[in-house]
Amino acid sequence: MELLVVGAGAMGRWFAESVADECELAFADTDPAAAADAAAEIGGRAVSLDTDDRFDAVCVAVPISVVEHAIAAHADKATRALLDLSGVMAKPLAAMATHAPDVEHWSLHPLFGPANAPGTIAAASNNAGPVTARLRKALEAAGNSLFETTAEEHDTAMETVQAKTHAAILAFALAADDVPDEFHTPISEGLFSLVDQVTSGTPQVYAEIQDTFEGAEAVAAAARELADADPETVERLYRKSRR
């Protein structure tokens, strides 16, 4: 099976490496050198973004802000299946249905960074088939655990799992003062550790998540409610926050 990976960044390379035993690989990227480097590292070949070649499957591994454009631009290169790894599902699946209605559609969200692979992958499809089944088998053979969801369920969950979570951690980082290590509690150490983990990533990724998913305003409103609360209200909110 021939697979074209559009986007030779970290996620595109992770996916290609995970399914390499099942596929003949090709890479395309806005930076041709990145595509060539991925091909040399993982195997396969580099092709131009405007190649006329056709592939059994095309995987779009690009940022959220350009995923719909990339699907529209490369859908006609897929003869059997089209998939994305952008991290949002409703819009990519809708774009696949519009631009490649006759092939299999699959939207994947690896819930981890490539450095932490393998891990859990959310998967949604409005037109599954043998190609996506084969790719699923390869991902599972690489140690990943896939679970089925819908685009709506996934995108709603990301409001909490990503937008609210990142907003809370980054807001704490912006508000926190430096304190000597000996003053830290297990809770504060844990929170600062999360700050270090989040801020070691790529700012563009976090900016796109905040732009895509609602949630940050709810975190800000909750923080304001706590800041304005009297002791009795804090106790009530504390009890409410228990899950």
Side-chain angles (χ1 to χ4, degrees):
M1 176 170 59
E2 291 185 305
L3 169 70
L4 171 65
V5 179
V6 178
M11 289 309 301
R13 294 184 187 210
W14 162 80
F15 183 80
E17 189 170 13
S18 298
V19 302
D21 289 344
E22 290 291 329
C23 301
E24 296 178 26
L25 298 171
F27 297 89
D29 196 278
T30 54
D31 178 3
D37 183 65
E41 176 186 342
I42 301 169
R45 60 192 176 101
V47 299
S48 65
L49 283 174
D50 59 357
T51 180
D52 292 327
D53 292 350
R54 297 294 180 266
F55 304 85
D56 295 301
V58 173
C59 174
V60 176
V62 301
I64 292 173
S65 59
V66 295
V67 65
E68 292 173 274
H69 171 76
I71 288 170
H74 302 289
D76 64 349
K77 296 179 176 64
T79 61
R80 300 178 63 194
L82 180 61
L83 58 146
D84 84 286
L85 305 173
S86 65
V88 65
M89 290 187 170
K91 291 182 177 180
L93 285 172
M96 293 178 205
T98 297
H99 298 288
D102 298 325
V103 304
E104 298 171 38
H105 306 148
W106 210 24
S107 187
L108 299 178
H109 185 183
L111 300 171
F112 53 86
N116 296 317
T120 301
I121 303 173
S125 175
N126 54 19
N127 190 20
V131 174
T132 49
R134 187 173 169 182
L135 292 172
R136 171 191 285 274
K137 186 176 180 180
L139 289 169
E140 291 174 339
N144 299 286
S145 176
L146 282 75
F147 71 93
E148 292 297 325
T149 185
T150 64
E152 181 180 5
E153 182 182 44
H154 169 272
D155 291 355
T156 298
M158 288 307 105
E159 294 178 6
T160 291
V161 172
Q162 290 196 316
K164 292 178 184 177
T165 299
H166 299 165
I169 292 170
L170 291 172
F172 169 77
L174 293 169
D177 296 321
D178 289 331
V179 295
D181 289 345
E182 56 267 27
F183 285 105
H184 277 299
T185 68
I187 292 175
S188 67
E189 282 185 335
L191 194 47
F192 273 103
S193 177
L194 289 173
V195 169
D196 289 342
Q197 184 175 343
V198 168
T199 56
S200 67
T202 304
Q204 179 190 6
V205 172
Y206 290 89
E208 293 204 345
I209 287 170
Q210 292 300 327
D211 188 53
T212 301
F213 301 110
E214 297 180 358
E217 288 295 335
V219 173
R224 174 49 54 197
E225 186 176 11
L226 277 169
D228 293 342
D230 59 31
E232 289 184 356
T233 303
V234 171
E235 290 184 21
R236 176 179 60 79
L237 294 172
Y238 179 92
R239 288 191 290 269
K240 181 180 178 181
S241 69
R242 288 176 173 167
R243 294 184 180 274

